Amino acid sequence: MAISTADFKNGLTIEVDGAIWRILSFQHVKPGKGGAFVRSKLKNLRTGAVQEKTFRSGAKMEQAQIDTRKMQYLYADGDQHVFMDMDTYDQISIPAEQIKDELNYLQENMEVNVIQYGTETLGVELPNTVTLEVASTEPGIKGDTASGGSKPATMTTGLTLQVPFFVNQGDKLVINTTDGTYISRA
């Protein structure tokens, strides 16, 4: 389906130069001299690269039909990660290279959305927050307060992030998956 720059919305997927892009942000610009244009920030769904592109106002392009399927993460098999469709029980394998950022948050039996374009699997969409267990961190010292700084902690998935001093090994923490920051104890 062909769309124009007037139809742009955040989260819309488009096909440009043979690649599939998700619109992260866009801005219509009308300079005093010259024609209007749309400045956009796009994420390549195949490579994960974020790029800024400029389109002439009214330019036409194809909308990419992206399907999301609710799936459960089962296990890692070498450098492949196996997911199961919750409705049909079909299993698919996704290479670790394709979901390397998401692996910091994936736990067995976790439900995620798998993004597909036709028969091609593009990646995994995580929930906004996940609960992970602290694998290792330095012990907190008596007298440290909740507002008094932070220390590094490594989660069971391998993710390393800054946490408050009162967090100890074995604690379960709620983590923001968009930027990998500590939110609270679970």
Side-chain angles (χ1 to χ4, degrees), residues 65-137:
Q65 294 300 319
I66 301 293
D67 298 319
T68 56
R69 293 169 54 192
K70 191 165 240 9
M71 294 192 152
Q72 184 178 38
Y73 175 60
L74 296 180
Y75 58 89
D77 184 17
D79 67 341
Q80 297 285 317
H81 294 270
V82 181
F83 294 81
M84 179 182 69
D85 189 307
M86 302 296 286
D87 298 325
T88 64
Y89 302 108
D90 291 339
Q91 292 185 9
I92 61 165
S93 293
I94 301 176
E97 183 62 33
Q98 200 171 356
I99 56 170
K100 62 179 180 271
D101 294 335
E102 290 86 352
L103 289 176
N104 285 325
Y105 308 101
L106 276 178
Q107 297 173 298
E108 289 186 3
N109 302 321
M110 179 185 223
E111 287 186 21
V112 296
N113 288 323
V114 174
I115 304 165
Q116 294 184 313
Y117 176 68
T119 58
E120 177 187 4
T121 301
L122 297 175
V124 182
E125 208 171 71
L126 296 167
N128 292 335
T129 61
V130 294
T131 302
L132 300 175
E133 186 176 332
V134 178
S136 67
T137 188

Side-chain angles (χ1 to χ4, degrees), residues 136-172:
S136 67
T137 188
E138 296 153 20
I141 301 163
K142 189 174 170 75
D144 287 337
T145 62
S147 62
S150 61
K151 62 182 180 178
T154 304
M155 311 312 282
T156 52
T157 60
L159 176 69
T160 302
L161 68 150
Q162 294 294 317
V163 297
F165 285 122
F166 60 79
V167 172
N168 296 313
Q169 186 170 332
D171 286 356
K172 292 195 182 299

